[in-house]
Amino acid sequence: QRAVGDFVYEYSRSANPNRTNLETAVAALEHAKHGFAFASGSATTATVLSALAPGSHVISVNDVYGGTHRYLNKVAGSMGITTTFVDLADVGNLRDAVRADTRVVWIETPTNPTLRLVDIAAAAAVAHEAGLYVVVDNTFLSPYFQTPLDLGADVVVESATKYLNGHSDVIMGVAATNDDALAGKLRFLQNSLGAVPSPFDCYQAQRGLKTLHLRMRAHAANAQRVAEFLEASPLVDSVIYPGLASHPQHKLAQRQMRGFGGMVSFRIRGDGTTADRFLQRTRLFTLAESLGGVESLGELPARMTHAGLAPEERHELGISDNLIRLSVGIEDADDLVADVAQALESAVAEI
């Protein structure tokens, strides 16, 4: 400090130059006044929800990331926060779910792993009419393809572990808002709870941001190629990708998003065993739960990311045993398609 109480940076948990630079960059990308970095995406979720008073009610999209579902279902209750999981593809369901104690609407779009979309502008209009905050998890698209604050959201959150960093070497989450009062609460909670990233991780994540535009275009172009190949294959029962005209919300995707992202889900012909064989036999797609890095990954949601859901919940959400989720990387598109083709043929041949 220059003198007692005369400082720019007092304590590294509270703030430091690397984190300030990253938070400023994140805010700019999200079209926000205020940006915040946290130790993980889950820490971001926990901190944002800590701004709620006991007795608050949250309406969450039902097809939500498994970690968010776990937090809302098994952790938030101990703080007096209750949650109703609702299919928000129909915004009318949101209006029906609002209660006197509802404070927040939690949206994820596209959802994980079935890539359903929520009309952010329509949902925000309903929520704001009832005096509610709208939080949008934008992890699957990044601000390059979607800026929820421009569509009416009050807070945007992302797992920066994924596309924002993009190199699978940082664990981090971010949030951004234009609401000054809410930003003050989040800054206080960020410091008080202390779930903040290291200065070096902030440096690494800012390195990733410098190539975000290049990577996202490559992810989306490759995902489109893979999705089109899968849709044409007789070895596949169904394909889910917002960039396909067959996606039931393709028109919403065209209106709300500037690109369709790098995530593709599909149901292989067969069962969970067939899906397992496919994931064991890919050569470029690595079997792993994460997503959004430059390398291609594949996983089986029913037994991996969403294994914590009860079987009946997975059935209701369409997370069948043969549903495979692909995070399509930035490798050569022809190589990726060839890898999917050989793994499909090998896996389905043994049915």
Side-chain angles (χ1 to χ4, degrees), residues 41-299:
S42 294
T44 307
T45 298
T47 303
V48 169
L49 291 172
S50 292
L52 295 177
S56 297
H57 172 244
V58 175
I59 297 172
S60 170
V61 63
N62 59 348
D63 189 10
V64 72
Y65 164 58
T68 303
H69 186 280
R70 179 174 58 245
Y71 186 87
L72 289 169
N73 202 35
K74 298 185 177 181
V75 179
S78 65
M79 300 184 296
I81 297 171
T82 57
T83 305
T84 302
F85 295 95
V86 177
D87 180 1
L88 296 181
D90 180 353
V91 178
N93 294 335
L94 171 58
R95 186 176 284 105
D96 294 340
V98 174
R99 306 186 328 205
D101 57 352
T102 305
R103 297 293 178 266
V104 166
V105 177
W106 193 281
I107 294 171
E108 186 177 304
T109 180
T111 60
N112 180 7
T114 57
L115 304 178
R116 293 189 179 98
L117 307 183
V118 178
D119 188 328
I120 297 172
V126 172
H128 291 159
E129 185 180 312
L132 313 179
Y133 282 110
V134 175
V135 181
V136 176
D137 185 335
N138 198 42
T139 297
F140 268 30
L141 290 178
S142 87
Y144 185 73
F145 282 146
Q146 182 171 266
T147 42
L149 298 181
D150 293 340
L151 298 168
D154 300 292
V155 182
V156 58
V157 299
E158 303 203 24
S159 171
T161 309
K162 314 304 192 299
Y163 288 111
L164 286 180
N165 176 61
H167 293 79
S168 302
D169 54 8
V170 165
I171 299 174
M172 188 184 295
V174 298
T177 184
N178 285 311
D179 187 307
D180 294 338
L182 184 55
K185 285 185 179 180
L186 291 178
R187 189 66 71 192
F188 173 80
L189 290 168
Q190 181 190 44
N191 184 51
S192 299
L193 297 176
V196 294
S198 73
F200 182 73
D201 280 355
C202 291
Y203 162 78
Q204 289 282 82
Q206 192 161 13
R207 166 218 58 183
L209 292 184
K210 293 175 182 178
T211 59
L212 180 66
H213 61 303
L214 302 174
R215 290 184 287 104
M216 293 310 296
R217 289 200 293 261
H219 283 298
N222 284 355
Q224 188 76 34
R225 283 282 307 279
V226 170
E228 289 173 356
F229 170 79
L230 289 168
E231 189 169 50
S233 173
L235 306 181
V236 172
D237 287 340
S238 62
V239 184
I240 312 168
Y241 182 64
L244 294 176
S246 58
H247 191 288
Q249 296 169 295
H250 180 61
K251 292 188 182 301
L252 173 60
Q254 291 176 311
R255 184 172 75 248
Q256 181 168 277
M257 297 147 56
R258 293 182 292 274
F260 304 117
M263 302 302 298
V264 178
S265 293
F266 72 99
R267 295 181 178 89
I268 193 169
R269 183 157 62 83
D271 54 17
T273 301
T274 314
D276 190 7
R277 278 200 301 269
F278 171 87
L279 291 166
Q280 294 289 337
R281 295 175 186 180
T282 53
R283 296 165 185 156
L284 295 181
F285 284 85
T286 300
L287 178 59
E289 288 197 0
S290 195
L291 61 100
V294 292
E295 65 285 314
S296 293
L297 305 177
E299 67 111 1

